[in-house]
Amino acid sequence: MNAPATFRTARELLLSLRDDQSAAAREFRWPKLERFNFALDHFDALAADARFANAVALHIVGEDGSEVRRSFAELSKRSAQLANHLRGLGVKRGDRVLLMLGNELALWETMLAMIKLGAVVIPATSLLSTEDLRDRFERGGVRHVLAGSALASKFAPLEGGFTRIAVGSSVEGWTNFDDSHRAPVAFEPDGPTLATDPLLLYFTSGTTSKPKLVLHSHQSYPVGHLSTMYWLGLRPGDVHLNISSPGWAKHAWSCFFAPWLAGACIFIYNSARFDAPGLLAALAAHRVTSLCAPPTVWRMLIQEDLGAWRGKLALREVVGAGEPLNPEIIDRVQGAWGLTLRDGYGQTETTAQIGNAPGQRVKPGSMGRALPGFRIELLDAEGRPADDGEVCIDLRERPTGLMSAYEDSAERTAEAMREGYYHTGDVAARDADGYITFVGRADDVFKASDYRVSPFELESALIEHPSVAEVAVVPSPDPLRLAVPKAFITLAPGMKASKEAAEAIFAFARGRLARYLRVRRIEFVDELPKTISGKIRRVQLRAQEVERHAAAQRGALEFLEDDFPALKAAGPGKSK
């Protein structure tokens, strides 16, 4: 079989076994590809197929009621035209192109065009500063920029003769994107695309260090996301909404590759600020069948009366990603909609590795089992397989959905791929049924009174309190126990930070956590420090605690368990 045929065979197997994760894991094999171009070999093939040609591939809805729809055939034709235009501007195979656009039509047109050309895309969020961009230019070798007109000023201080293309209103010194509509629509590639050719370069949002450069090929994400398609449970003709911002890997996961691998429609709801009622109305009005959102969004959604929407939605699949889902969120969604909110796990460096696929029993708190194509091992501190340890991918059968390398560091690549495994840096536990439960980042797990403490376990208990909106647990230095768990808490709307609120949360936690896991300190904050991709920077909170302890300082809204003698009088709480 030629390359597209082997790819289609693998895809069809996963679609046929979407409700049998064990069979899919047993039977699936990654297609062996020498040449592959997602846009030419897969997307254009869908566009030429009578079953998909006129189906809606992309549907963008604004909070003002505006709508943009494009079929597979229309996007195939338009991306070919845009590829011709970009080639005329000097964009060629292997060139690095920084792409900074919002959730707008031009983003999807450009991604397809760049893939057809064989250019290397550096996705960038609009939140980046000029200094962030300078780092990407210097370490990423940027030669061309395609950005929204309103963002052009960010690039003004940057030196060099890079190509500038503006989407939107005209900008002096920039070529206007709309000029591309005059280009011819018949596209011919300048040669074959090797499956191992570079395609995407991501600057990861490090919580502890400078961003790493994650390089993906024409197969590692485009083909590798077959595992993500399987985890999401997508079918041809589905309408899939993933809440994610452009510039991050999750956007490529679920707003580009996975839906189009399935032949599904990508649905986007644009609003200036997160609007839960507006989102729910859009889900109902546009018959969205699949919703993926980070836990932060799910936490805000469950503040609404979700039960009032039961019977009005077409949802079949609901999924969470980005950080682990707390059991309380899963229970609330199940109770309101009768749908099982499924968790999954992956990284910028990989596609979906672990997940609760459709039709499988979900265990509360677990992120599921190894997905088809991935052999997952948990390694202990000595590098031996165990039921509790670092999440690692066995490289004896290297999965397609794994990065090519950290482009900026052969040393980092070697460290991550050492001793026959890819090391994720995350710690988890596995039960007898193969279900894997996230414990935390290796950097976040800490010891208190000689017990290992998982911040996620404590956070999952605290988030169940109705006053708690968000929480991050870190070690706080203690002369007796080395460290004790401290919770930084943002309160739900209408709740006031007070001694009474702290006492209520302490009492609540005592009834749900073993004594050795007891939260000993609480501090109320207006917001938690996060990376620009929205991940909590516990490392910053840990450093702050060390500095405060050294200076014998206490936060203005910080409360200690010892401040409440009545709690001790009430008893020890939950035993170990």
Side-chain angles (χ1 to χ4, degrees), residues 291-312:
L291 172 63
C292 182
T296 300
V297 168
W298 285 111
R299 283 194 287 269
M300 290 188 280
L301 280 175
I302 63 174
Q303 304 301 318
E304 303 294 318
D305 181 10
L306 295 186
W309 293 90
R310 189 162 187 162
K312 300 177 183 179

Side-chain angles (χ1 to χ4, degrees), residues 108-364:
W108 283 268
E109 294 175 340
T110 303
M111 280 290 293
L112 287 170
M114 293 297 181
I115 295 173
K116 289 181 176 183
L117 286 169
V120 180
V121 179
I122 301 177
T125 171
S126 60
L127 298 175
L128 295 179
S129 67
T130 297
E131 285 308 305
D132 292 327
L133 291 171
R134 192 184 306 280
D135 178 47
R136 280 148 178 77
F137 270 66
E138 292 175 354
R139 293 199 290 148
V142 174
R143 297 191 62 181
H144 314 276
V145 170
L146 201 151
S149 298
L151 303 170
S153 60
K154 289 177 179 278
F155 298 87
L158 301 178
E159 303 81 14
F162 57 93
T163 308
R164 298 166 171 84
I165 305 165
V167 176
S169 58
S170 296
V171 178
E172 186 177 354
W174 290 61
T175 299
N176 193 280
F177 182 81
D178 289 342
D179 295 346
S180 62
H181 289 279
R182 296 195 290 267
V185 296
F187 175 79
E188 287 293 332
D190 64 359
T193 300
L194 298 181
T196 53
D197 282 348
L199 171 61
L200 288 159
L201 185 62
Y202 279 102
F203 282 64
T204 61
S205 59
T207 58
T208 61
S209 61
K210 195 172 185 178
K212 294 174 286 191
L213 276 65
V214 177
L215 182 66
H216 279 285
S217 69
H218 278 266
Q219 65 178 355
S220 62
Y221 255 26
V223 181
H225 276 302
L226 286 172
S227 70
T228 308
M229 177 196 78
Y230 185 82
W231 163 59
L232 292 171
L234 294 172
R235 303 171 179 173
D238 273 351
V239 179
H240 178 65
L241 169 58
N242 171 56
I243 299 177
S244 180
S245 298
W248 304 113
K250 189 58 176 66
H251 193 274
W253 277 41
S254 299
C255 290
F256 194 83
F257 290 114
W260 282 349
L261 281 169
C265 170
I266 296 167
F267 181 82
I268 299 293
Y269 176 68
N270 280 329
S271 58
R273 297 177 61 84
F274 179 75
D275 172 22
L279 173 63
L280 291 165
L283 292 172
H286 299 285
R287 312 307 291 162
V288 173
T289 58
S290 175
L291 172 63
C292 182
T296 300
V297 168
W298 285 111
R299 283 194 287 269
M300 290 188 280
L301 280 175
I302 63 174
Q303 304 301 318
E304 303 294 318
D305 181 10
L306 295 186
W309 293 90
R310 189 162 187 162
K312 300 177 183 179
L313 302 173
L315 286 172
R316 185 189 70 245
E317 309 295 347
V318 284
V319 183
E323 289 188 345
L325 285 166
N326 302 104
E328 187 221 3
I329 299 174
I330 297 172
D331 292 343
R332 293 278 294 277
V333 172
Q334 178 73 47
W337 291 346
L339 296 173
T340 300
L341 180 56
R342 299 183 288 104
D343 207 348
Y345 169 83
Q347 298 177 306
T348 300
E349 291 90 337
T350 71
T351 58
Q353 305 171 32
I354 300 166
N356 289 294
Q360 312 305 300
R361 179 165 65 107
V362 172
K363 295 189 178 185

Side-chain angles (χ1 to χ4, degrees), residues 256-484:
F256 194 83
F257 290 114
W260 282 349
L261 281 169
C265 170
I266 296 167
F267 181 82
I268 299 293
Y269 176 68
N270 280 329
S271 58
R273 297 177 61 84
F274 179 75
D275 172 22
L279 173 63
L280 291 165
L283 292 172
H286 299 285
R287 312 307 291 162
V288 173
T289 58
S290 175
L291 172 63
C292 182
T296 300
V297 168
W298 285 111
R299 283 194 287 269
M300 290 188 280
L301 280 175
I302 63 174
Q303 304 301 318
E304 303 294 318
D305 181 10
L306 295 186
W309 293 90
R310 189 162 187 162
K312 300 177 183 179
L313 302 173
L315 286 172
R316 185 189 70 245
E317 309 295 347
V318 284
V319 183
E323 289 188 345
L325 285 166
N326 302 104
E328 187 221 3
I329 299 174
I330 297 172
D331 292 343
R332 293 278 294 277
V333 172
Q334 178 73 47
W337 291 346
L339 296 173
T340 300
L341 180 56
R342 299 183 288 104
D343 207 348
Y345 169 83
Q347 298 177 306
T348 300
E349 291 90 337
T350 71
T351 58
Q353 305 171 32
I354 300 166
N356 289 294
Q360 312 305 300
R361 179 165 65 107
V362 172
K363 295 189 178 185
S366 170
M367 55 191 182
R369 295 176 290 162
L371 289 166
F374 285 89
R375 294 180 59 179
I376 302 296
E377 288 284 4
L378 305 184
L379 301 183
D380 64 18
E382 284 73 44
R384 298 172 303 197
D387 290 328
D388 190 340
E390 184 185 11
V391 179
C392 296
I393 299 173
D394 191 332
L395 298 180
R396 284 177 292 178
E397 295 180 24
R398 183 185 173 107
T400 297
L402 174 62
M403 67 174 181
S404 303
Y406 291 120
E407 188 182 65
D408 58 331
S409 177
E411 292 77 14
R412 276 180 167 175
T413 303
E415 174 66 15
M417 308 285 186
R418 68 188 183 275
E419 299 172 352
Y421 293 94
Y422 166 71
H423 296 253
T424 67
D426 290 320
V427 177
R430 176 162 43 199
D431 69 12
D433 298 319
Y435 281 77
I436 299 172
T437 298
F438 183 83
V439 173
R441 285 295 295 171
D443 294 336
D444 290 336
V445 175
F446 62 93
K447 280 199 168 184
S449 297
D450 208 34
Y451 290 104
R452 194 178 72 164
V453 176
S454 161
F456 176 66
E457 184 177 356
L458 276 63
E459 291 162 6
S460 293
L462 292 170
I463 200 72
E464 293 183 19
H465 191 282
S467 295
V468 178
E470 282 194 299
V471 57
V473 171
V474 300
S476 182
D478 183 84
L480 178 64
R481 301 179 180 91
L482 177 65
V484 295

